[in-house]
């Protein structure tokens, strides 16, 4: 702020703000972390509270089993991962290995969270343009999970919004990816067709 002496005040020490100086602002992705961990989006840091606030769905365990069975029909293996540690990325609730077509989902998540995580990882597995760009890949996968979950009556709004925002999603980016998201989500929703 630009602070000057307040000439209208009887107090000779009185000051007032009359403006602000322009300063350089950095995007978080342009900075280094003090703890030496990799730069870039850190969604695990920003969405833990949203995950904790996710309302449990009474049919989540059945939805998870249906998704696992359907994934098998697509040549995708789904396996449990330990609650902590293991081969997956730190903080990740699930991951997909395109070389082996295997999805791992941590056992630490609630049934509803595991459905959303599996839908997210299936979004990666079925994304025809996977590995185009890491941020784009995460935005597609999380958007697919959001659509699939909404169809099932699961509402991960805060989690998904926080996640895609952490990866830099804009309304323009979401519009550009909408066709891919819709096609992949419809494929996954086939798991629930009777």
């Amino acid at each position: 702020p630009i602070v000057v002496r307040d000439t209208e005040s009887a107090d000779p020490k009185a000051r007032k703000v009359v403006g602000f100086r322009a300063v350089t602002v950095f995007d978080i992705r342009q900075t280094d972390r003090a703890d030496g961990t990799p730069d870039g989006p850190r969604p695990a840091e920003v969405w833990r509270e949203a995950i904790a606030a996710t309302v449990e769905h009474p049919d989540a365990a059945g939805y998870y089993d249906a998704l696992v069975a359907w994934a098998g029909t697509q040549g995708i293996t789904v396996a449990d991962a330990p609650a902590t540690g293991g081969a997956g990325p730190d903080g990740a609730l699930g991951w997909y290995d395109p070389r082996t077509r295997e999805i791992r989902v941590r056992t630490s998540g609630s049934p509803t969270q595991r459905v959303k995580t599996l839908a997210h990882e299936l979004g990666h597995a079925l994304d025809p343009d996977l590995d185009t760009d890491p941020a784009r890949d995460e935005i597609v996968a999380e958007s697919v999970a959001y659509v699939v979950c909404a169809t099932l009556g699961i509402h991960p709004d805060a989690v998904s919004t926080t996640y895609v925002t952490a990866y830099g999603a804009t309304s323009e980016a979401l519009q550009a990816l909408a066709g891919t998201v819709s096609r992949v989500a419809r494929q996954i929703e086939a798991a629930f067709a009777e």
Side-chain angles (χ1 to χ4, degrees):
I2 301 171
V3 181
V4 297
R5 185 177 164 298
D6 187 350
T7 58
E8 296 172 4
S9 173
D11 181 359
K13 294 183 181 181
R15 302 278 185 250
K16 67 179 176 180
V17 175
V18 295
F20 294 91
R21 288 181 174 80
V23 296
T24 303
V25 177
F26 292 94
D27 182 277
I28 190 68
R29 290 169 291 196
Q30 296 172 306
T31 62
D32 293 325
R33 292 181 57 140
D35 64 4
T37 57
D39 295 330
R42 294 175 269 303
E45 295 173 4
V46 294
W47 49 259
R48 291 207 188 283
E49 287 181 23
I51 289 171
T54 301
V55 176
E56 273 307 301
H57 193 285
D59 299 323
Y63 292 158
Y64 185 84
D65 292 342
L67 285 172
V68 170
W70 180 83
T73 69
Q74 305 302 303
I76 302 165
T77 303
V78 178
D80 286 341
T84 59
D90 288 341
L93 299 176
W95 57 94
Y96 170 65
D97 184 340
R99 294 165 301 158
T100 61
R101 293 192 45 88
E102 181 179 61
I103 292 172
R104 305 280 292 195
V105 179
R106 293 214 188 268
T107 57
S108 57
S110 70
T112 299
Q113 181 58 49
R114 285 173 48 92
V115 169
K116 194 203 77 60
T117 299
L118 181 50
H120 175 106
E121 299 308 329
L122 285 167
H124 282 309
L126 300 170
D127 181 355
D129 298 316
L130 183 65
D131 291 330
T132 303
D133 169 71
R136 176 231 169 258
D137 295 346
E138 292 303 323
I139 292 167
V140 168
E142 188 62 23
S143 298
V144 166
Y146 178 87
V147 171
V148 170
C149 286
T151 299
L152 298 174
I154 295 171
H155 303 286
D157 303 21
V159 175
S160 293
T161 301
T162 303
Y163 194 94
V164 298
T165 301
Y167 277 101
T170 62
S171 58
E172 293 81 14
L174 292 170
Q175 287 174 349
L177 297 169
T180 299
V181 169
S182 180
R183 283 187 296 279
V184 173
R186 299 298 164 251
Q187 281 181 272
I188 297 168
E189 289 169 352
F192 305 100
E194 294 184 289

